[in-house]
Amino acid sequence: MSSLSVLLAPVLPASASSPSPSPSESETTGPAVPSLKDAHESATNAASWVEQNWSTWLAIGLRVLLIIAIAVVLRVAVRRAITKLIDRMNRTAQAVDGTAIGGLLVNVERRRQRSQAIGSVLRSVASFLILGTGGLMILSTFEINLAPLLASAGVAGVAIGFGARNLVTDFLSGVFMILEDQYGVGDSIDAGVASGEVIEVGLRVTKLRGDNGEIWYVRNGEVKRVGNLSQGWATAGVDVTVHPSEDLDQVKAVLTRVGEELSKEEPWNEMLWGPVEVLGLDSVLMDSMVVRVTARTMPGKSLAVERELRWRIKRAFDAEGIRLVGGLPVQLDSGPEPDPTAGMSAPSAFASTTSPQSTAASPIPPPNITK
């Protein structure tokens, strides 16, 4: 029996036991007014019902308040712990900033954006899990069947996943790119669909600055492979093309001296992460020889080292009298040009109408007969 029926139980029998007045009597006396005894019995039954159920209400209320308090405290504690972790990561990046290793391997802006993105994702996931779990526990406290609710949420999640699969793909790809530190702000990358310097890394879109100054917005879900040109080390390669008559020992000695001088001067000694090596002949042709020179450099500094090497090699070769070869291949001297009419046959005598051969071969005209 429900609580409402228990509360109204003493009223219903009293009204049912009393004889129904006749129409004439009810018209003269008006509506029946409960007596003092009936009101006293109703108040007594209501008080007894409240006395019997107040402990249940109090237990449910205390349980709900406890769940809310635990969820709020846990959410605040988790978010504060995540914030402290992110601040510690930023302090570590700032501590090495300005040092030699910090200047080579650490980018403060890159670390800051990466830590902020990771912190935002972690805080959002923690808040969703804690508050969602607390809400389900509160509903179960009121003895509400959660099976239809969870089934509806599952169907809605599947529908949203199919409808916004590109957005979900971009978001998940961005999260894993940031967690794995595939690239960051300041890196030069080749993302397949575009290439350039990374100026911003987001959870859905990565912004690149192209070589001509344009900005590319690349969705993270469209990046199938990434070539990072700013991690590890780079290789500077210079091909020196000389005349085939030059002395190779002299060429190698000059190139070795240029490399040693470059590695001892600033700022090239910091950009070079290894000695300048003369690998040898890369190719030998009839009119040229190609000597390969390489050096291991800092990431992103290979082009500057290549330009400086070419500058110094050209000046050293000019001082030593070593001839460089470039442009189109040299044309070999093959003597005078042939006569274009040498392969043609002599003109025929019959080509001229006034030649004796043409006159002799022409038909004889008929005689003029006159009467």
Side-chain angles (χ1 to χ4, degrees):
M1 183 179 295
S2 64
S3 59
L4 184 60
S5 62
V6 173
L7 183 60
L8 299 178
V11 180
L12 293 176
S15 61
S17 61
S18 61
S20 58
S22 60
S24 60
E25 184 179 359
S26 61
E27 291 176 359
T28 56
T29 60
V33 179
S35 62
L36 183 60
K37 182 179 179 180
D38 295 338
H40 178 70
E41 290 180 357
S42 299
T44 303
N45 292 332
S48 62
W49 181 80
V50 171
E51 184 179 0
Q52 292 175 2
N53 295 278
W54 74 272
S55 59
T56 304
W57 290 354
L58 182 60
I60 293 175
L62 291 177
R63 190 178 302 174
V64 170
L65 291 177
L66 182 62
I67 292 174
I68 293 176
I70 293 176
V72 171
V73 172
L74 185 61
R75 178 175 178 269
V76 172
V78 172
R79 290 175 65 91
R80 185 170 299 177
I82 294 174
T83 303
K84 288 184 178 180
L85 177 62
I86 299 304
D87 292 341
R88 183 175 299 178
M89 293 174 58
N90 291 332
R91 285 197 301 267
T92 303
Q94 293 175 1
V96 298
D97 185 30
T99 61
I101 187 67
L104 295 177
L105 302 179
V106 178
N107 189 310
V108 177
E109 179 65 19
R110 168 180 176 173
R111 293 289 298 271
R112 186 186 64 81
Q113 287 199 4
R114 179 169 175 257
S115 60
Q116 286 183 354
I118 295 175
S120 176
V121 172
L122 293 179
R123 282 190 290 266
S124 300
V125 171
S127 299
F128 177 78
L129 292 178
I130 294 173
L131 297 181
T133 304
L136 294 178
M137 293 177 65
I138 291 175
L139 293 178
S140 63
T141 303
F142 289 101
E143 297 182 357
I144 298 177
N145 189 9
L146 300 179
L149 179 62
L150 295 178
S152 302
V155 173
V158 172
I160 294 174
F162 275 108
R165 57 185 181 273
N166 291 334
L167 181 62
V168 175
T169 302
D170 297 340
F171 180 81
L172 294 178
S173 299
V175 169
F176 282 104
M177 285 179 181
I178 293 175
L179 291 178
E180 296 172 359
D181 196 18
Q182 297 181 7
Y183 53 81
V185 175
D187 288 351
S188 296
I189 67 171
D190 182 3
V193 294
S195 60
E197 181 182 354
V198 180
I199 59 177
E200 185 178 345
V201 180
L203 294 178
R204 194 182 69 87
V205 174
T206 298
K207 294 172 64 175
L208 303 177
R209 175 78 67 179
D211 296 335
N212 297 325
E214 68 277 8
I215 297 179
W216 298 98
Y217 294 86
V218 182
R219 289 170 42 197
N220 295 329
E222 294 182 350
V223 179
K224 303 303 180 183
R225 53 94 176 156
V226 178
N228 197 325
L229 308 179
S230 300
Q231 289 182 353
W233 47 269
T235 301
V238 176
D239 292 331
V240 182
T241 306
V242 298
H243 198 271
S245 61
E246 299 294 336
D247 186 4
L248 289 178
D249 294 333
Q250 183 185 6
V251 171
K252 184 177 181 180
V254 173
L255 293 177
T256 303
R257 186 179 74 249
V258 170
E260 292 177 353
E261 294 176 354
L262 182 66
S263 60
K264 295 178 182 179
E265 297 182 6
E266 294 183 355
W268 311 108
N269 54 354
E270 297 181 357
M271 298 182 184
L272 290 173
W273 285 7
V276 179
E277 300 179 355
V278 181
L279 300 183
L281 285 176
D282 192 64
S283 64
V284 179
L285 303 177
M286 295 181 60
D287 57 344
S288 64
M289 297 185 301
V290 179
V291 182
R292 182 71 173 175
V293 181
T294 62
R296 182 173 295 186
T297 67
M298 290 175 55
K301 302 298 182 181
S302 59
L303 293 179
V305 173
E306 289 177 0
R307 295 189 184 100
E308 185 66 19
L309 274 175
R310 294 189 185 98
W311 181 278
R312 292 172 179 260
I313 289 173
K314 177 64 171 62
R315 294 178 60 183
F317 279 14
D318 290 343
E320 297 290 335
I322 300 176
R323 292 177 297 172
L324 292 173
V325 178
L328 297 176
V330 179
Q331 298 292 335
L332 298 179
D333 188 8
S334 57
E337 295 182 359
D339 186 6
T341 61
M344 299 175 60
S345 59
S348 175
F350 295 97
S352 178
T353 57
T354 58
S355 63
Q357 291 84 355
S358 296
T359 304
S362 62
I364 300 175
N368 189 6
I369 302 174
T370 58
K371 292 182 179 180

